[in-house]
Amino acid sequence: MTIDPQSTNTSDSAEEQKKNRPLTLTRVCVLSFIGSGFAVFGGILLTLFYNSILDFLILNESEDSQLLFDTMSQLSREYLAINCLLSIGSLIGVFFMWNLKKAGFHLYAISNILILGLPLFFGIGAFDLQGLIFISGPFILFYGIHLKFMS
């Protein structure tokens, strides 16, 4: 029986990467996978069914539906599509960081900063400073601290 040296190297490198990734980095990556995954899923649905959602909300006379309609009508399909694409970039960045690649940090950080500035670009609001301070900023900072584990 012969052992294929490539197959043992592959499993060794996978185990080595798993050993080298700190548990806290693993946990934050999982949280980012969940958050970015939901953002991508929601972005796809909102972009594809934009008109149907607006039609549904306008027919529903509840106060919550009207508030949601007012918010959704300010957003264009293009805004939602770009937001979804940036969320995909964020998700890919997390995947790279999961595999301990520094490029993932840069992709993640740029995608999330652009998401926060998207309302300003479309003229529907200001840069989301609260999102930066309380959500994206701490994640970017945490990933930046863990760059020493990435190649």
Side-chain angles (χ1 to χ4, degrees):
M1 181 167 134
T2 61
I3 299 176
D4 181 18
Q6 286 183 336
S7 66
T8 56
N9 287 343
T10 304
S11 64
D12 288 344
S13 70
E15 286 180 27
E16 185 179 319
Q17 278 189 349
K18 188 173 182 181
K19 289 179 188 175
N20 290 337
R21 186 185 328 108
L23 181 60
T24 52
L25 180 59
T26 300
R27 289 178 177 162
V28 173
C29 281
V30 168
L31 290 174
S32 294
F33 277 129
I34 293 168
S36 294
F38 275 126
V40 169
F41 180 71
I44 290 170
L45 290 178
L46 288 172
T47 302
L48 291 176
F49 301 109
Y50 179 77
N51 291 331
S52 299
I53 292 170
L54 287 178
D55 291 343
F56 173 79
L57 291 173
I58 197 109
L59 293 175
N60 193 336
E61 296 180 8
S62 73
E63 186 177 323
D64 290 339
S65 292
Q66 292 305 311
L67 182 61
L68 191 54
F69 174 80
D70 293 341
T71 303
M72 280 274 304
S73 61
Q74 290 179 5
L75 306 176
S76 66
R77 186 180 294 231
E78 292 79 18
Y79 173 90
L80 295 169
I82 291 171
N83 194 346
C84 183
L85 290 174
L86 291 171
S87 295
I88 290 170
S90 177
L91 191 60
I92 292 169
V94 175
F95 177 76
F96 284 157
M97 287 188 287
W98 178 266
N99 291 308
L100 301 174
K101 304 291 181 197
K102 278 185 183 177
F105 168 76
H106 303 292
L107 182 58
Y108 178 85
I110 290 168
S111 295
N112 279 279
I113 290 170
L114 288 174
I115 287 170
L116 296 173
L118 204 56
L120 182 64
F121 178 76
F122 275 85
I124 56 174
F127 184 84
D128 186 5
L129 193 57
Q130 288 180 324
L132 178 65
I133 293 171
F134 295 112
I135 299 172
S136 295
F139 275 81
I140 292 169
L141 179 65
F142 185 82
Y143 285 131
I145 290 169
H146 286 81
L147 278 173
K148 60 188 169 195
F149 298 102
M150 302 175 202
S151 58

